[in-house]
């Protein structure tokens, strides 16, 4: 039986920090309101000439270095993003070229804020079936490009960033299980109601922005991610006490706390990085994972339950032995 082992992680955040105080001069809001409702103090914003592939490249190079492999060892690239550089080729193909890799499959996955969990699941299945032996899995976003910076209901929440992991085939797990879900009935609660095929006028006029029913999304995010914990533990015949760390999607500290409470995890076992990143969509989980590995919070041998939730709705989890 072949498994995927995580052998390296990396992340990258753009230099520009956008604080709540700066947002106060842009929309009718204030730092205390944002902190109380979201736990977000600041977020990073990509420079005008910085694109999703740039963030993905920096995160990937850090992950490849940490893994101790050469880019030439990588035989699969999966990039989760909602904010691709171009309509096509995929950001994964652009990244592949930047990394000097020629030949193996590279493609994007679009599941918004749950995208990294979908990408991880796919890469894991490639490895388990012997179709790949060393996979680069990336979540990268320039979400700031699809935010209406005059809409206080959404602009306080999101930020830009990238995170990446390298998975390698191994006899020992690694990834113990992955669980994915989608439900398109909720397509209008969190969306950008424009694209290439539909409402292209909004793209042309530069008004293709994220819209959200905040309290509805909040409710569903908590329910879906709390249920995912139960589903993941049951699939592995484990109890919550067996898990060292829970990494929920870093959307909002109130959502994270509510998921932790509902799932029965003490706050000390729940990873929270949202205060300094905001919601970086597909980058949120690999960013939180990489920061926690690098600062020594998550150690080799730890059992980590990661989960994402996003527009669609989409949601998914992975249980992984580091
Ligand atoms: N600053 C100050 N006031 C604001 C504000 C802001 N940035 N944004 C909204 N408000 C106001 C509203 O206009 C409303 O005022 P009103 O009562 O006069 O109409 C009031 O605050 C309460 O708004 P409400 O939407 O009920 O607040 P809330 O407690 O639901 O918090 C969110 C709003 C967005 C923080 C919260 O719903 C949330 O986090 N939702 C999930 C968002 C998310 O994580 N999405 C991504 C998932 S992948």
């Amino acid at each position: 039986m072949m498994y995927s082992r995580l052998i390296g992680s990396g992340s990258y955040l753009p230099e520009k920090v956008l604080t709540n105080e700066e947002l106060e001069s842009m929309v009718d809001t204030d730092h205390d309101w944002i902190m109380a409702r979201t736990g977000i103090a600041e977020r990073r914003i990509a420079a005008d000439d910085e694109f999703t592939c740039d963030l993905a490249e920096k995160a990937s190079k850090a992950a490849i270095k940490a893994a101790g492999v050469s880019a030439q060892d990588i035989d699969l690239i999966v990039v989760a993003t909602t904010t691709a550089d171009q309509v096509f080729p995929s950001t994964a193909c652009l990244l592949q070229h930047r990394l000097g890799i020629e030949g193996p499959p590279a493609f994007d996955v679009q599941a918004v804020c749950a995208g990294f969990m979908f990408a991880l699941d796919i890469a894991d299945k490639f490895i388990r079936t012997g179709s790949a032996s060393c996979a680069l899995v990336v979540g990268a976003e320039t979400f700031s490009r699809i935010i209406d910076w005059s809409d206080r209901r959404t602009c306080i929440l999101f930020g830009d960033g990238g995170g990446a992991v390298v998975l390698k085939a191994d006899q020992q797990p690694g990834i113990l299980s992955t669980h994915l879900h989608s439900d398109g009935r909720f397509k209008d609660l969190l969306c950008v109601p424009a694209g290439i095929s539909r409402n292209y006028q909004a793209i042309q006029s530069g008004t293709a922005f994220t819209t959200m029913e905040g309290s509805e999304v909040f409710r569903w995010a908590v329910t879906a991610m709390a249920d995912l914990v139960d589903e993941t533990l049951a699939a592995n015949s484990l109890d919550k006490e067996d898990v060292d760390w829970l990494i929920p999607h870093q959307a909002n500290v109130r959502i994270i706390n509510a998921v932790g409470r509902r799932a029965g995890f003490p706050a000390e076992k729940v990873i929270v990085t949202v205060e300094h990143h905001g919601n970086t969509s597909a980058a949120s989980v690999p960013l939180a994972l990489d920061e926690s590995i690098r600062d020594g919070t998550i150690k080799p041998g730890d059992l980590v339950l990661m989960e994402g939730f996003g527009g669609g709705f989409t949601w998914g989890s992975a249980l992984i032995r580091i």
Side-chain angles (χ1 to χ4, degrees):
M1 180 83 177
M2 206 46 96
Y3 294 98
S4 312
R5 270 204 88 85
L6 191 156
I7 59 165
S9 65
S11 59
Y12 175 74
L13 289 164
E15 270 177 36
K16 183 181 164 37
V17 177
L18 178 65
T19 63
N20 291 345
E21 286 75 15
E22 288 170 280
L23 279 171
E24 287 175 8
S25 66
M26 296 161 63
V27 290
D28 180 14
T29 190
D30 64 83
H31 171 74
D32 292 343
W33 191 96
I34 300 173
M35 282 306 285
R37 302 288 176 120
T38 73
I40 299 169
E42 58 188 28
R43 66 289 291 146
R44 301 296 183 99
I45 305 294
D48 288 347
D49 61 352
E50 196 172 34
F51 307 109
T52 294
C53 190
D54 298 315
L55 313 189
E57 180 186 359
K58 288 184 170 122
S60 298
K61 284 182 170 164
I64 290 168
K65 189 171 175 209
V69 297
S70 136
Q72 304 312 317
D73 296 324
I74 290 165
D75 56 7
L76 173 70
I77 300 175
V78 190
V79 175
T81 188
T82 317
T83 48
D85 283 32
Q86 300 174 202
V87 175
F88 69 84
S90 67
T91 304
C93 281
L94 305 180
L95 175 65
Q96 181 184 42
H97 178 60
R98 299 265 188 100
L99 297 175
I101 303 168
E102 295 167 9
F107 55 90
D108 286 1
V109 168
Q110 218 289 47
V112 206
C113 300
F116 182 76
M117 307 318 304
F118 280 64
L120 198 71
D121 172 278
I122 293 165
D124 180 50
K125 289 189 164 82
F126 266 73
I127 288 179
R128 281 185 186 235
T129 56
S131 301
S133 60
C134 187
L136 175 64
V137 187
V138 185
E141 301 275 18
T142 45
F143 223 82
S144 59
R145 305 269 152 79
I146 50 170
I147 293 299
D148 176 354
W149 289 99
S150 66
D151 178 8
R152 69 177 182 171
R153 292 165 302 169
T154 51
C155 75
I156 58 163
L157 297 171
F158 295 94
D160 300 334
V165 299
V166 176
L167 301 178
K168 199 164 184 338
D170 200 301
Q171 304 286 345
Q172 301 294 322
I175 295 180
L176 291 155
S177 71
T178 53
H179 308 268
L180 301 182
H181 298 278
S182 305
D183 194 334
R185 281 179 301 164
F186 303 105
K187 62 185 174 51
D188 298 326
L189 294 183
L190 177 57
C191 66
V192 175
I196 301 305
S197 178
R198 183 173 177 174
N199 192 12
Y200 184 64
Q201 296 81 352
I203 304 279
Q204 284 175 313
S205 62
T207 56
F209 296 133
T210 301
T211 63
M212 183 183 66
E213 295 297 329
S215 52
E216 280 286 284
V217 173
F218 188 108
R219 197 162 59 84
W220 281 102
V222 172
T223 304
M225 286 199 282
D227 288 352
L228 261 178
V229 172
D230 294 340
E231 179 184 346
T232 309
L233 293 175
N236 292 279
S237 303
L238 291 171
D239 294 320
K240 53 186 179 300
E241 289 76 20
D242 299 315
V243 175
D244 296 296
W245 301 103
L246 176 67
I247 309 183
H249 171 45
Q250 303 290 309
N252 174 327
V253 87
R254 283 166 58 222
I255 293 179
I256 294 169
N257 289 344
V259 170
R261 267 197 313 275
R262 287 267 283 268
F265 274 76
E268 314 84 76
K269 289 175 77 170
V270 181
I271 301 285
V272 183
T273 58
V274 70
E275 181 176 356
H276 299 294
H277 301 168
N279 180 348
T280 56
S281 184
S284 111
V285 169
L287 254 169
L289 176 69
D290 182 54
E291 284 198 2
S292 306
I293 289 175
R294 283 177 192 267
D295 71 14
T297 304
I298 295 179
K299 298 183 176 56
D302 282 355
L303 192 59
V304 180
L305 201 166
M306 309 186 275
E307 47 179 6
F309 177 88
F313 291 145
T314 52
W315 62 107
S317 67
L319 186 69
I320 178 164
R321 177 80 63 191
I322 302 297

